[in-house]
Structures are given as C-alpha cells and as structure tokens.
Amino acid sequence: MGINTHISLVTPFLDGDYYGRVFLELLNEANKKHFTLFTIQSRAAVNNPVPFNYPVGTSVLDGWLLMTNPHSLLPLDPKLLKKIASSGKPVVTIGYQEDRVNCHSVVIDNRESTKAAVLHLIRDHGHRRIAFVGSNNEHLDMLERFEGYLEALADSGIQYDEELVFYNSDALRVGGYHSAEAMLEKKINFTAIFASTDLNAMGVIEKLQRAGHRIPEDIAVIGFDDLPPAATFNPPLTTVRQSFEDLAKTSFDIIFRKLNGEIIKDSVTKIKTELVIRSSCGCEYNSVLEPTADVKKQLTESNANLDTIIKRYDKFVRRWASATREKKFNFSNMFSEKSSWGCLALWDNREKNRKNLIITQAFSKNGESAPPIGLRVPIEQFPPTEWLPSVRENDFVRVQSVKNERGDWGFIAIVAPVDELILISAADITLISYTISASALERDELFQQLHLIAEQLEIVSKTTNDGIWDWDIITNHIEWNNRSNDIFKSIGEKLPTSSESFFNLIHPEDKDRVMASWREQLDKADSLKIEFRIQGKNEEELWVYLTADSLRDKDEKVVRIIGSITNISEKKFAEQQIRHLAFHDGLTGLPNRQLARDRLDLYIEQANRYQFKLGVLLIDLNRFKVINDTLGHHAGDQLIQNIARVLENAIEPFNTISQDNHQQATIARLGGDEFIVLLADIDDLNDLYSVGDRINQQFKEPFIIDNHEVFTSASIGGSVYPNHGRDFDELSQCADMAMYRAKENGKNQIEIYSSELDSTTMKRFSMENQLRKAVERNEFVLHYQPQLNLENNQIIGIEALLRWNSPDHGIVAPLEFIPIAEEIGLIIPIGHWVLKEACRQTKSWIDEGLPPMTIAVNISARQMQQKDFVETVKSILEETQLPPVYLCLEITESTAIKNVENSLDMLKQLGDIGVNIAIDDFGTGYSSLAMLKQLPISNIKIDKSFIQDMDIDKDNGAIVKAIIAMAHSLELTVTAEGVETEGQRDVLINEKTNYVQGYLFSKALTPKDFMRYIKSVAFPPLR
C-alpha cells in the first residue's frame, strides 16, 4: 500500500486552529505512508453554507476521513453517507460519532474532561452554584461539554438550574462578552463559571472585571482548549488541554490499519485530555512571564503574517482581474500560480440529473499530462485519477464544488502544497478563489443568456401586443412597431412621428404631470414608468402605461429614448370598480365606514375654513333582529335596501350643492342595521332635530317585504362639531351615547348629546363597547391562586380568576366588567373561554410533570341557564384531555337556588362524570340545609367577608365556626377564601378547616409566575 492509495478527507474548512491543525497532521501522516490525501470541502463557498450531497470520488477513493457532524448546519446528506457505506471502504470520523454509517470514531473526551473541571470547582473549591457558558451552535464538542457539566452537578447532588446557563452565538471572545452582559443583566447569583472555550472564558472575564467583579476572588472561571494566550492571560486561565495532534494521528492510524485488513473491535477511540491548573479557578499558581525576546518574536511573526496576507491578497486581486477580464473565465490564470495541476469540470447540461461532469479547462505545469477538454467523467470518478500528476511531499489534491446562491456549475480539482498560513482562520485564499470562480462562471452564463435575449427581443418586438417606440432626440423622430398603430387608431389618431405630435395627444388633466416626469427622466436618467390618458380629436380617450429609458453618449447627453406603450383601459376600469367596492357598502351601495370617515374629514376642513358647524346622526333600527329572524336573512337584506332609499330621500332636501361645490350631506351604512348621517353647514340643533324628525316620519308607513307588511322604527342619536368632538371617533361616540339614551327613553325618537350624559354613562358606554371588542381581540387572561390543605400545608388546587388586560385601562378586575358582561350577554362566550383555557392550562401543567391539581372555575347563572351547558363541559374536557376529577365548578348560592330543579339535574349529570361541585361565597345567600343535602356538592367556600377580622370580631368568628361545623356534619369539605393574616389561619386550623386560599399564601399569579411559585414556595410554618 503506497502512492496509489487515495484517502479522502471531507471537511468544511482547511484553515484555523482546529481544522487547519488536524489537516496538517493528517497530511504529515499521509506523507509518511506515501498516501495521496484528497480533501473534499463540504462548505461549497465562503458565503454559501449548504449541505453537501455529491458522491464525488466514491468509486476511486480507498478510504474516508469525515470531519463534519450530523448536528452541523452542513451535515453530509444521508444519500451520500449511504453511497460511501455501499462502497465497502473504511470510514473514520474525526471529532464526532456518526450513527448513520458503519465507521470508527475518534473523539476528544469532552464529557469527562468537562466533568473533571466542574468537579474541581465543586470539590476543591466548594462552589455549588456554577454557571455554564457555551455557544448554542451545532458543534458536537459544545453539546458534549454541556453534558459533562450536567453530569458533574448530578454526581455532586446539585440540582440543575437553567437560569445559570448562558448561551451565545459563537465560541470566540465576543460570545463570552455577550454572555457576561446577560449575567450582569440577570444579576450575579453564582460563584463560579465553566466556559466551553478559552476564548469564551476570556470574554466573560474581561466584561466581569470591567463591571467590578474580581476573578477568582468573587467568581472562579475555568475554560477549555488551553490556547497559547491562556497561560499569560490575567489571571492565568485554568483550562482543559486537548491534543489535536493525537486526534489526527490516531484517526490516520486507524484508517491505515483498516486498509490493511485489521479488524478493530471497538467503534470509538477517545483522546484523553488534561486539566491544566492555573489561578483563574482560585488555585495558587506562579505565573511565568514570557521572555521579552519571545514576545518580540511573536510580534515580528504576526507582522510578517499580516504582511504576507496583504501581499497574497494583492496577488489574488491581480489573478482575479487576469482570469475574468477576458470574454470567458480563464481557470489557469486563477489557480496556476500556487497549483501545479488543475481541471475545471462543469455539469453535463444535457442531463436532467447531475451525474456526469465535462472537463472544460485544465492545466499542468510540470510537463505531465492534463485531462483532455471534453472528457466526460462520472461524479463518482472525479477527479480522474488516471490523469493526476505525481503528488510530491507536502502536496495534496483539493476538490471543491463550484456553487453559489444563483447556480451550481460543477467541480474544480487542483494539486497544491499546504498553505503556509493554514493555522490562521479566514486566510484560505484558495477557498475565496473558488467563490470567485463561481461568480465568473455565472458571468459567462449570463453573457450567453444576454446574447440569446438579444435575439429573442428582436423577434418579440415584431410579435408583442405592446407598442414599442424609439425616439431619436437629435432628429426628433419617433419610430413605432406595428402594434402601436392599433393603440392610436382606437382613438381615431395616426401614429405621432415627433415629440410635439405625441405630447398633444395627452389628456389636458394629465399633461403637466406627464411632462414633469418626462423632464425628470431626461435630467436624472431614471427609468420612466407612468400611467396617463391620451385623447383623440373626437375626445375619445384611453388609459396607457408608458415606460421609457434613455441612451446617452460619452458626455452623458441623451441621444435616444426607447420604451413601450400599453393600452390599460380595461385595467383602470377594473380598478375603479375595486375602489368603489372598497369604499361602499356591497348591499346598499351607500358609502361605508371608511368613506364616511374620509367625508367627515373633508367636511371638517370646510367647516374650519368657512366657520360653520357639522352634525352627526347615528341611526339604529328597532326590531330589526326580530324581523330578520322571523322572515329570514333575504328579507332582512331587502329591508336594509329599502331603508337605505328612505334615508336618502329623507336627507335629500339637505343634500344640495353649495357655491363652493362641496356636498352638504352623506349617509353611510356602518354595518348591520346601523347607519350614520353627516350634515355639513348646520345653523343650530334644530337642523338635526328637523332631519331626525323627517327620518322618523318615513318609518310610519310599513315596508312591503315578500308580500308582508313590516314595521320598524329608528332610534337616533346626534352630536355636533366642534362642540362634542373633533374627529369621526369622538363625534360618533357621542352620537352613539345619545342614541343609547334614545333607546332607553322609548325608542322611535332623536336625542342630542349633552353634558347630562355624565361621566358614569360615558364610562359604562365605553366599557360596554370595549368589552365587546375585548372578546374579539382575545384580551382576557387567567390568573391562578393556589389552594392549600391546612393539614399538610400542600397545594391541592388552584382557582382560575379572570382578568381583562385592556389596552386602555390595564388589568381590569372582574367586579368592574362581569356585571356588564352578564347584562349584555357576553358572559356566555367569556365563560366558555375561561373554562376551556383553565382546563387547557391545567392539562399542560400535568403534562409538564407538576403534581395533578384541581382547577376551580366560577360558573355564572347565565351559563347554568344554557340547556347545553353539561354538553359544553363534556366537550371541553374531551378537547383538552383533562380528566374530569381535576375540574371543580364553583357556583354561588343564588345561582344554585334560582332554578333548583334545573340546577340539581345539571349538577348531578356533571357529578356523574366525575366533575367536582363547590358552593362559592357561602353564607351570603339563602341556601338551606335541605338544599345543600339535595345538591351533589363536595365543598363549600366561606365568603371572604366572614374571614376578614374573624380573629378579632366575635360575630364573624362565630359565623365561620358554625359554617365549618355544619359542613363537616354534612361530610363536606370547607375552603376559606381571603386568608390574609396568620391569626386568621390559626383560627381556621383550630376549627379543622380543610382548605385555604388568600394573600397570606399567594396572590393570583400569571401562568409563568405560578410555575416559579410552585417550584420554590416555602409556606409559613404551622403553629
């Protein structure tokens, strides 16, 4: 086995401290064995990290070294792994374990070494709260180091705390710096840090030191990698040393042994690491200052490297210019300076599936043959090994996909020596050359496409339906294609042959706008795209869309303008229809809310200019719902259409055209059975009353709908600008309140807003409107208050408490909005949402591992009156998958006795499926022992009004004791609400109260806060 043995290294990079160092050692080992090392880069281009899926070289290579991983952004495609496995060639993975193919893996023992480092902090320095810092990328090393951190905590009996894990975006200093910023923002609540890389550790230390924290006196730090700067860092960094040399040598040794037929029993070889103790962890360490001469030497070497990078980039730019200045990309000019042999192979475009490559360019500098142009090579046999030159020591074969975001062209193979700056990340000029090559090939393809496009345009200009024109500025002559004649002929005109004859055809209303755009195009050389009308002698007109672009001479003077013209009359007509639909009601043809808003804005401008007032009338039909439900929606639509005509007739005398040509009145449909009338230029309130009375007069006669006489009336509310508001929202809100008053006063009348509609009415009106919107906008949230068992001080349940998260008022308590919701019927959808959300949240907590708890949900009297209430509860339990035993429905005494027979039947059905029933606010109603015995309840809740001051108020105390004794005699459990003091708790303990809830233990909490509470709660001790 020797020079004809070909080993492939698949890796995303060939530079840097990790990839570059491992590759260098692998190449040294290959040289010793006289093997040829092929590198196949899985990262296709500098800025194009896409998964690698090409079976390149699978039939000509003798073994595989894989240095990527399945967790990476660039994993090897499963089909490629399957192809490699089917070849029967030995496979060794470097730095990770690959489960998708039979292979041997050589890995750094990251887990155990991290574990040892963290245990050092725990056992040798006594730390118990240790933070973890690491990048949240896919690299397997980072994942294993985190696992080692977790194992060390577990072995030491320390509970894992996710608050002590700080992820960042990379393994460099800036990543550690950002992690430290997060630590400072959260507040430091730990005494030690394990950072998954030295650079992360250095970034953390620098930021924490700037914030005033001492390392290691305040916070101990350990890193990983033992980079050269670690020993001279301040303080010297305790770290884990790993050997990339051992990693590479062991990997090559195993594949060499496999190639020789040796069977290796174990599938994984772990490379040992070493914990290097310095002072950042708190250990005593005598740092050794680096000699000045060595520092100067390093500085000199760094400057030399920088100078080399600058020079090579300069050479690269010259090669780039040389390779791309010709009509076609010159592959040799780009790569032959450093490489002794190379070939460019592009995909065979005759094939739908990329299976074969065609050699399109090649070179060889040492007199050896290069593959012939046109040679067809299957991807599995690329590069063609029979054409490879003799590979000298320190040379290797480099294979790279030529691909970017816009295309996939093929592959490049070169034979070249190792880059002298291989250990410096991002110094790989060759990789950049590949990317430039892709861009050059893209340019070649685009040039070919442009040539084809030019030919196609010549044909298109003869066959297109658009007019094509070419204006010679110097001669002022315009040339048109044949299609242009049809456009101008449709308005009775001939083709204009000069700019003047064309401009004369532009519609007078559009001419100034078009000429301004035309002048701007000439001045700025911007492309012109404009719509306008052209008009013939007989005033026939059509809409056209015109585009234009200019050609300029060397002095930037416009010499020609070329463009197109298209008849868009049908499109403009369709747009007008769409615009009409957007601002008008589809049923009545009246303006809609948006157009009414715009009209009022216009009226307000006029009112401010001419100093007059405006009136707004809001009209709501009475009995419309009854009519709609009785005769059907079709009849309801007819009624709305008839009413729209009636309203138009009613305001017609007011809707005149003034001397200033502004409309005096607008009627719009806001939706449903609600209309609005806008009146411009009113003198006083009498104008509003006059229009309102005229509207009501129209409703005295019946409407004939489907041969039925239908009677309805209107409740009208009015407001005046500027007295009652400054815009549409304010004026319509005032009119709405007045209309609400008209309904209260007997309907079929008009009310004008006044100060008598006080703040209470305003608040209720506003609350009702906002409450309706709150249901639509999902503004309700649930808070959860724990319920405790006094006997063992454990949480046994929670009560779901509704809150309204209003954007205007913040968190609104139930007492402020529940009565209104019950009155206007919103309590049904709100109650349904509360029950469903409470069950869903409880099931979610159970699934997350919390001990099962009973969720208590308050049920309103309106809900209990719903015939399908039991089915609703069953449906929600089935949908949320919450077992019925964990649901408790709380009903008040008044709800239970409102319809005892109905309540008894419903509650028994619920009890039969396992749902718990509790009587809420017990003691404030009129329930009797007989009633309590009939209902299938299991718990009564003492109202908090009795709990308050019961330890100092004898009457309250006596009532509480009586309720508890009565409940226990009926074998019911008792829950006390509103427990706020230890004195109250002590009384309840003495009276053997079962359960309690209140501020002494916890307020009502958001779901997130409840999770924190239940994990960390420490209850007041029992006396």
Side-chain angles (χ1 to χ4, degrees):
M1 197 167 291
I3 193 65
N4 291 323
T5 302
H6 303 142
I7 302 296
S8 171
L9 169 65
V10 182
T11 176
F13 303 101
L14 281 175
D15 57 3
D17 193 67
Y18 176 71
Y19 291 101
R21 195 177 299 278
V22 172
F23 163 64
L24 200 59
E25 293 297 337
L26 289 172
L27 183 59
N28 289 337
E29 294 300 310
N31 286 335
K32 292 177 185 177
K33 304 296 185 183
H34 304 292
F35 284 10
T36 301
L37 186 64
F38 287 65
T39 62
I40 300 175
Q41 286 192 259
S42 59
R43 185 178 174 90
V46 174
N47 294 317
N48 187 33
V50 295
F52 191 80
N53 59 354
Y54 306 104
V56 57
T58 49
S59 65
V60 296
L61 296 168
D62 300 301
W64 298 82
L65 296 167
L66 307 181
M67 200 160 53
T68 179
N69 74 72
H71 304 283
S72 169
L73 291 172
L74 300 171
L76 298 184
D77 190 279
K79 292 181 180 179
L80 174 58
L81 284 172
K82 186 176 180 181
K83 187 80 173 179
I84 292 173
S86 66
S87 70
K89 312 290 178 60
V91 179
V92 175
T93 62
I94 304 175
Y96 76 101
Q97 292 179 241
E98 178 63 75
D99 299 328
R100 298 173 293 171
V101 65
N102 184 22
C103 64
H104 191 98
S105 301
V106 181
V107 297
I108 298 292
D109 197 352
N110 289 285
R111 188 181 289 103
E112 286 300 321
S113 53
T114 300
K115 180 178 178 180
V118 177
L119 287 175
H120 174 68
L121 291 170
I122 296 170
R123 295 173 179 175
D124 297 337
H125 294 286
H127 295 287
R128 302 290 292 178
R129 291 188 62 76
I130 302 170
F132 178 88
V133 173
S135 61
N136 57 359
N137 63 21
E138 77 290 345
H139 203 284
L140 198 61
D141 287 354
M142 303 298 109
L143 299 176
E144 290 179 345
R145 291 170 194 177
F146 181 65
E147 290 170 358
Y149 164 78
L150 295 178
E151 288 182 10
L153 296 181
D155 285 1
S156 303
I158 299 174
Q159 186 175 0
Y160 166 67
D161 185 352
E162 64 180 6
E163 295 291 327
L164 298 183
V165 177
F166 297 89
Y167 286 121
N168 51 58
S169 59
D170 58 57
L172 305 178
R173 281 200 188 198
V174 66
Y177 195 89
H178 290 158
S179 291
E181 288 179 332
M183 293 174 181
L184 293 170
E185 185 177 345
K186 279 188 175 182
K187 307 300 183 186
I188 303 295
N189 63 347
F190 50 83
T191 59
I193 300 170
F194 174 80
S196 57
T197 69
D198 283 353
L199 294 177
N200 271 178
M202 293 174 187
V204 166
I205 291 173
E206 288 171 343
K207 178 61 180 176
L208 293 181
Q209 285 176 333
R210 289 179 185 176
H213 294 278
R214 299 172 302 164
I215 311 296
E217 291 83 356
D218 298 332
I219 303 172
V221 181
I222 292 182
F224 198 112
D225 288 335
D226 194 27
L227 297 178
T232 57
F233 193 69
N234 182 26
L237 187 63
T238 298
T239 182
V240 176
R241 179 178 298 158
Q242 56 179 331
S243 174
F244 296 147
E245 181 180 359
D246 289 347
L247 180 67
K249 286 182 176 180
T250 303
S251 300
F252 194 90
D253 177 66
I254 289 174
I255 199 168
F256 177 77
R257 289 157 58 192
K258 281 181 167 287
L259 285 169
N260 280 284
E262 182 178 342
I263 298 176
I264 302 176
K265 184 177 180 181
D266 295 331
S267 61
V268 179
T269 299
K270 292 188 176 181
I271 304 300
K272 296 298 182 182
T273 58
E274 175 189 358
L275 181 62
V276 181
I277 303 295
R278 298 193 181 101
S279 60
S280 67
C281 64
C283 289
E284 292 186 4
Y285 173 73
N286 295 322
S287 60
V288 180
L289 294 176
E290 194 167 354
T292 304
D294 289 346
V295 175
K296 289 182 177 180
K297 180 181 177 182
Q298 290 179 4
L299 183 59
T300 302
E301 290 175 351
S302 297
N303 289 334
N305 286 339
L306 180 60
D307 185 57
T308 301
I309 291 174
I310 293 172
K311 288 180 179 178
R312 73 199 311 212
Y313 267 91
D314 183 56
K315 290 181 180 179
F316 163 72
V317 171
R318 290 200 298 272
R319 291 202 312 274
W320 175 17
S322 174
T324 57
R325 72 164 57 97
E326 302 175 19
K327 289 185 178 180
K328 289 191 67 176
F329 168 62
N330 191 312
F331 170 70
S332 175
N333 284 354
M334 179 65 82
F335 290 97
S336 61
E337 180 181 357
K338 290 283 187 179
S339 307
S340 60
W341 179 94
C343 66
L344 170 65
L346 304 184
W347 293 113
D348 188 346
N349 290 328
R350 296 169 296 180
E351 300 175 335
K352 291 183 179 179
N353 299 321
R354 293 187 171 98
K355 292 185 176 181
N356 292 284
L357 297 160
I358 305 295
I359 304 296
T360 57
Q361 296 188 51
F363 67 86
S364 180
K365 291 169 55 176
N366 297 325
E368 297 183 270
S369 298
I373 306 303
L375 178 66
R376 193 164 183 263
V377 183
I379 182 63
E380 293 89 351
Q381 298 175 20
F382 186 84
T385 53
E386 66 273 21
W387 294 97
L388 282 175
S390 301
V391 179
R392 296 171 297 181
E393 186 173 346
N394 207 38
D395 276 0
F396 67 101
V397 182
R398 184 166 183 171
V399 182
Q400 174 75 42
S401 170
V402 186
K403 183 177 183 179
N404 62 14
E405 292 84 353
R406 298 178 183 85
D408 181 359
W409 284 273
F411 277 85
I412 287 175
I414 60 173
V415 175
V418 173
D419 193 318
E420 64 270 22
L421 298 180
I422 189 171
L423 299 183
I424 300 177
S425 295
D428 189 354
I429 291 293
T430 305
L431 182 59
I432 301 175
S433 299
Y434 286 129
T435 305
I436 296 299
S437 300
S439 299
L441 291 170
E442 179 188 353
R443 182 208 63 175
D444 291 351
E445 185 177 274
L446 290 174
F447 182 82
Q448 180 65 23
Q449 291 175 356
L450 285 173
H451 181 71
L452 293 173
I453 290 171
E455 295 176 340
Q456 294 166 356
L457 283 176
E458 186 175 353
I459 297 173
V460 169
S461 66
K462 298 177 182 178
T463 60
T464 182
N465 287 327
D466 294 341
I468 306 295
W469 53 273
D470 186 342
W471 176 20
D472 188 324
I473 300 296
I474 298 174
T475 64
N476 193 27
H477 180 74
I478 304 177
E479 291 284 348
W480 302 86
N481 71 342
N482 292 333
R483 180 67 183 90
S484 305
N485 186 61
D486 296 336
I487 296 175
F488 288 93
K489 189 177 180 179
S490 65
I491 58 170
E493 292 288 339
K494 295 181 179 180
L495 289 173
T497 57
S498 66
S499 59
E500 291 80 8
S501 59
F502 175 71
F503 292 146
N504 286 337
L505 297 178
I506 299 175
H507 195 285
E509 294 179 7
D510 298 339
K511 193 165 186 176
D512 289 343
R513 173 173 59 88
V514 175
M515 297 303 296
S517 298
W518 200 274
R519 285 190 293 270
E520 185 176 3
Q521 198 276 337
L522 291 174
D523 293 341
K524 298 183 179 180
D526 293 334
S527 296
L528 175 64
K529 297 179 181 179
I530 190 170
E531 297 178 354
F532 58 91
R533 290 164 291 175
I534 58 175
Q535 182 175 274
K537 295 176 182 177
N538 298 325
E539 295 190 352
E540 296 176 274
E541 64 181 49
L542 56 83
W543 279 92
V544 296
Y545 174 68
L546 183 136
T547 65
D549 215 337
S550 58
L551 301 176
R552 297 174 180 263
D553 60 17
K554 62 181 180 180
D555 298 323
E556 291 299 310
K557 183 179 180 181
V558 177
V559 293
R560 287 171 65 195
I561 300 178
I562 301 173
S564 66
I565 186 170
T566 308
N567 184 346
I568 60 168
S569 297
E570 291 186 7
K571 170 178 172 287
K572 297 299 288 187
F573 177 72
E575 287 178 354
Q576 290 173 359
Q577 289 184 311
I578 293 171
R579 192 176 300 111
H580 179 83
L581 292 173
F583 290 98
H584 290 79
D585 174 51
L587 180 62
T588 63
L590 294 174
N592 60 13
R593 181 185 296 271
Q594 182 58 51
L595 184 53
R597 185 184 293 272
D598 295 343
R599 288 271 178 88
L600 184 63
D601 289 342
L602 176 63
Y603 290 174
I604 289 174
E605 289 181 12
Q606 296 169 349
N608 292 336
R609 185 182 306 124
Y610 299 108
Q611 297 298 306
F612 56 70
K613 294 187 177 184
L614 307 176
V616 173
L617 295 178
L618 199 66
I619 303 167
D620 187 80
L621 303 181
N622 302 317
R623 298 184 65 252
F624 176 76
K625 186 176 186 303
V626 175
I627 298 169
N628 200 48
D629 292 344
T630 303
L631 300 180
H633 293 291
H634 177 70
D637 289 346
Q638 289 186 54
L639 178 61
I640 290 293
Q641 291 172 331
N642 289 342
I643 288 173
R645 304 291 81 82
V646 164
L647 293 177
E648 286 180 321
N649 293 333
I651 67 168
E652 185 61 31
F654 198 94
N655 197 9
T656 60
I657 303 298
S658 72
Q659 293 180 349
D660 296 303
N661 199 35
H662 63 266
Q663 194 174 10
Q664 295 290 81
T666 293
I667 180 169
R669 184 186 179 207
L670 300 183
D673 61 342
E674 193 173 40
F675 297 82
I676 192 170
V677 176
L678 310 177
L679 302 173
D681 197 5
I682 65 172
D683 295 324
D684 51 37
L685 294 181
N686 288 330
D687 288 339
L688 291 183
Y689 283 114
S690 174
V691 174
D693 290 340
R694 194 157 52 244
I695 290 172
N696 280 325
Q697 287 295 323
Q698 298 285 336
F699 283 90
K700 288 185 175 181
E701 298 296 325
F703 295 91
I704 307 302
I705 306 294
D706 290 341
N707 297 321
H708 292 88
E709 287 190 345
V710 175
F711 289 89
T712 185
S713 60
S715 296
I716 306 173
S719 61
V720 176
Y721 172 87
N723 305 51
H724 303 146
R726 309 293 296 185
D727 57 27
F728 182 89
D729 291 331
E730 291 178 359
L731 291 168
S732 60
Q733 186 178 43
C734 289
D736 205 0
M737 281 190 286
M739 184 266 289
Y740 185 80
R741 175 63 64 85
K743 280 183 175 292
E744 287 183 335
N745 291 343
K747 305 178 181 179
N748 194 29
Q749 58 182 283
I750 179 173
E751 287 282 347
I752 307 299
Y753 177 82
S754 68
S755 58
E756 293 179 4
L757 294 171
D758 57 20
S759 60
T760 302
T761 304
M762 171 75 81
K763 183 177 180 181
R764 177 192 165 80
F765 177 80
S766 175
M767 180 74 75
E768 181 177 323
N769 281 342
Q770 292 175 5
L771 197 56
R772 294 183 188 276
K773 295 176 183 177
V775 176
E776 301 170 2
R777 298 173 180 172
N778 297 320
E779 293 176 358
F780 292 108
V781 295
L782 289 184
H783 288 187
Y784 299 88
Q785 188 171 39
Q787 297 174 332
L788 281 73
N789 186 332
L790 274 180
E791 184 176 347
N792 55 24
N793 214 33
Q794 296 298 310
I795 297 176
I796 52 87
I798 41 179
E799 181 177 2
L801 298 172
L802 180 63
R803 300 291 186 266
W804 175 16
N805 189 7
S806 167
D808 297 321
H809 306 293
I811 297 295
V812 183
L815 288 177
E816 295 186 49
F817 67 87
I818 288 296
I820 298 175
E822 288 182 333
E823 181 179 330
I824 63 178
L826 285 179
I827 196 64
I828 300 301
I830 293 174
H832 185 277
W833 178 86
V834 170
L835 183 58
K836 183 176 179 180
E837 175 61 17
C839 291
R840 184 204 64 78
Q841 180 63 75
T842 304
K843 182 60 167 65
S844 174
W845 280 330
I846 293 173
D847 292 343
E848 290 177 25
L850 292 187
M853 295 171 288
T854 301
I855 180 71
V857 181
N858 293 284
I859 302 300
S860 71
R862 291 286 293 271
Q863 286 176 277
M864 289 289 291
Q865 293 169 10
Q866 298 294 305
K867 293 180 180 179
D868 62 347
F869 177 67
V870 174
E871 293 303 317
T872 297
V873 175
K874 290 180 179 179
S875 175
I876 289 174
L877 289 171
E878 182 177 351
E879 181 181 348
T880 60
Q881 294 295 299
L882 179 70
V885 69
Y886 297 132
L887 174 62
C888 178
L889 301 181
E890 297 187 355
I891 59 174
T892 62
E893 289 183 86
S894 58
T895 299
I897 66 175
K898 182 168 290 186
N899 187 341
V900 175
E901 291 184 3
N902 182 60
S903 299
L904 182 60
D905 181 57
M906 280 190 175
L907 297 179
K908 281 184 176 179
Q909 290 183 56
L910 293 168
D912 289 342
I913 66 171
V915 174
N916 298 288
I917 308 296
I919 296 295
D920 194 18
D921 300 337
F922 189 83
T924 61
Y926 303 96
S927 57
S928 65
L929 290 175
M931 187 205 74
L932 289 178
K933 292 175 66 175
Q934 290 183 54
L935 295 175
I937 61 175
S938 57
N939 179 270
I940 62 173
K941 299 186 72 175
I942 305 175
D943 187 68
K944 63 182 179 181
S945 62
F946 297 111
I947 302 299
Q948 294 173 352
D949 302 327
M950 70 173 184
D951 50 339
I952 57 177
D953 187 315
K954 292 182 179 180
D955 291 337
N956 276 359
I959 292 172
V960 171
K961 292 176 183 179
I963 293 174
I964 295 172
M966 178 193 68
H968 286 167
S969 69
L970 294 174
E971 297 183 351
L972 301 176
T973 57
V974 178
T975 301
E977 294 185 289
V979 180
E980 298 182 356
T981 68
E982 292 189 7
Q984 295 168 0
R985 183 192 64 178
D986 293 342
V987 172
L988 294 170
I989 291 174
N990 291 334
E991 297 302 320
K992 297 186 171 17
T993 306
N994 302 97
Y995 312 128
V996 290
Q997 68 183 86
Y999 277 22
L1000 176 62
F1001 307 98
S1002 172
K1003 64 178 182 178
L1005 304 168
T1006 65
K1008 186 176 181 180
D1009 290 338
F1010 181 78
M1011 281 292 287
R1012 292 198 187 100
Y1013 171 82
I1014 201 168
K1015 290 180 179 180
S1016 61
V1017 65
F1019 304 117
L1022 296 175
R1023 293 183 177 178

